[in-house]
Amino acid sequence: MSRSLAGGFATAVDAAHLDAFPLVEMQLTSGTLYLSGTSFDVDWDGHTWQAALGLGTIEPVIETDTEQPGLSFTLSAVPSSAIALGLTEDVQGLTVIVRLAAVVAGALQVDTNCWQGLLDVMTIDDGADTAVVRVTAENQLIAWEEPAGLRMN
């Protein structure tokens, strides 16, 4: 299986210097959350991706060497007033998409096929004024390891 990059993003990758940042889309039941790994909001694909640089991190989660790696998303400095959503939202099994973006010659170029998976477990560490929200996600390829639901007799 081959994977190709969009023309503009392929050009960006070939450049001598590349400033890339993630665009994270979490398709929650209460509405889709759009986050950008920049210090400013980004408008792309008809949505405003909220700045999360310095507040958000993405880390790999590898449980065994035979599994597809998952990701752990952390959002720090979340106002306590916004925690109610996290306490009521059931995120397990919801889609998360990670895209890689770069600005080339003043234009935003996006790799739309970077990583896709399903949200798994959310934890909230609530502080006095702010909280830290962590959610893990499994790679969509984990579905290949699940047994088929067909049974014949």
Side-chain angles (χ1 to χ4, degrees):
M1 179 177 160
S2 67
R3 181 179 172 278
S4 62
L5 297 173
F9 196 79
T11 302
V13 171
D14 284 339
H17 179 75
L18 176 66
D19 285 326
F21 56 90
L23 295 175
V24 178
E25 175 182 343
M26 293 185 181
Q27 299 174 358
L28 307 176
T29 53
S30 60
T32 303
L33 179 63
Y34 300 97
L35 297 172
S36 168
T38 59
S39 58
F40 50 88
D41 291 349
V42 173
D43 290 323
W44 178 74
D45 197 33
H47 305 286
T48 299
W49 302 70
Q50 298 175 8
L53 181 66
L55 302 177
T57 61
I58 302 172
E59 299 172 357
V61 175
I62 302 171
E63 294 180 11
T64 69
D65 59 353
T66 60
E67 291 181 341
Q68 292 295 327
L71 294 178
S72 174
F73 302 92
T74 303
L75 194 58
S76 304
V78 177
S80 293
S81 59
I83 294 304
L85 170 67
L87 294 173
T88 59
E89 187 82 32
D90 183 15
V91 300
Q92 194 162 23
L94 300 178
T95 301
V96 59
I97 302 169
V98 178
R99 297 172 174 95
L100 195 59
V103 177
V104 179
L108 186 65
Q109 302 296 330
V110 179
D111 175 8
T112 58
N113 283 330
C114 193
W115 192 89
Q116 184 169 341
L118 300 175
L119 295 174
D120 191 19
V121 177
M122 181 182 346
T123 60
I124 301 173
D125 297 329
D126 199 5
D129 297 326
T130 63
V132 176
V133 177
R134 288 182 187 86
V135 63
T136 58
E138 295 177 329
N139 192 302
Q140 69 181 0
L141 294 177
I142 202 80
W144 287 95
E145 296 176 8
E146 299 291 325
L150 299 175
R151 294 192 177 151
M152 300 184 185
N153 54 21

